[in-house]
């Protein structure tokens, strides 16, 4: 019996994408009140509302990488980390649009914001790989 562990690669790539997102700026704020335009980058490390879920996703993905012997549990942990990643995407959009505009600032996305949907895509691919392995094992069990 040959089980392909491509989902481990997908989980590792999701970890890398989230770790890079943790250290790069996720946007910039332009202050509109002052005559000279002042821009300030927004970092994940300074925003606890984004830092804590991103760190939780990284920790969940790291533990998920070593849960390869228990595939249903691995799938469950990966689904939970996917939900938290989607919540982080919504939080980043909310922080850039609603909060910045309410305080008289204009906010812009960063190029690095693409890492969040990329991490979510890798998590989805990991779930698909786990489901494929579960189906493969079930078909082998039927043959026995």
């Amino acid at each position: 019996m040959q089980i392909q562990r491509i989902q481990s690669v997908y989980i590792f790539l999701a970890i890398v994408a989230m770790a890079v997102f943790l250290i790069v700026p996720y946007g910039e704020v332009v202050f509109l009140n002052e005559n000279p335009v002042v821009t300030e980058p927004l970092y994940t490390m300074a925003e606890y509302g984004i830092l804590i879920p991103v760190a939780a996703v990284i920790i969940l993905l790291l533990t998920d990488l070593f849960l390869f012997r228990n595939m249903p549990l691995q799938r469950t942990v990966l689904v939970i980390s996917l939900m938290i990643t989607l919540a982080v995407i919504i939080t980043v959009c909310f922080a850039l649009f609603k909060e910045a505009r309410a305080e008289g600032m204009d906010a812009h996305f960063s190029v690095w914001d693409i890492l969040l949907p990329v991490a979510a895509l890798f998590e989805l691919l990991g779930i698909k790989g786990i489901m494929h392995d579960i189906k493969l094992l079930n078909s082998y069990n039927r043959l026995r």
Side-chain angles (χ1 to χ4, degrees):
M1 168 173 60
Q2 178 72 25
I3 298 176
Q4 302 297 325
R5 300 300 305 171
I6 191 68
Q7 61 265 24
S8 297
V9 174
Y10 293 143
I11 293 170
F12 178 73
L13 291 174
I15 292 170
V16 169
M18 292 301 282
V20 170
F21 179 76
L22 189 64
I23 59 174
V24 297
Y26 67 89
E28 65 180 7
V29 173
V30 178
F31 294 99
L32 300 175
N33 300 351
E34 303 169 5
N35 289 338
V37 177
V38 178
T39 61
E40 180 181 322
L42 299 171
Y43 287 96
T44 307
M45 300 297 260
E47 300 285 335
Y48 292 118
I50 300 173
L51 173 67
I52 293 171
V54 169
V57 168
I58 291 172
I59 291 169
L60 282 173
L61 289 173
L62 279 172
T63 57
D64 198 36
L65 196 59
F66 297 106
L67 289 175
F68 58 88
R69 292 190 188 267
N70 190 352
M71 283 188 275
L73 179 63
Q74 185 182 28
R75 182 185 63 209
T76 303
V77 171
L78 198 54
V79 167
I80 291 170
S81 68
L82 176 65
M83 285 188 233
I84 297 173
T85 303
L86 295 175
V88 169
I89 292 171
I90 292 169
T91 305
V92 166
C93 292
F94 178 76
L96 285 176
F97 284 118
K98 297 292 183 180
E99 289 183 9
R101 296 237 167 106
E103 296 177 7
M105 298 180 276
D106 190 24
H108 302 285
F109 283 104
S110 172
V111 175
W112 299 105
D113 287 336
I114 194 72
L115 290 174
L116 288 174
V118 166
L121 177 69
F122 283 136
E123 290 169 358
L124 283 172
L125 290 173
I127 291 170
K128 182 181 174 191
I130 292 169
M131 293 303 297
H132 174 54
D133 281 353
I134 288 173
K135 287 180 184 177
L136 184 67
L137 284 175
N138 287 339
S139 70
Y140 284 142
N141 285 337
R142 280 192 301 269
L143 289 176
R144 279 195 246 168

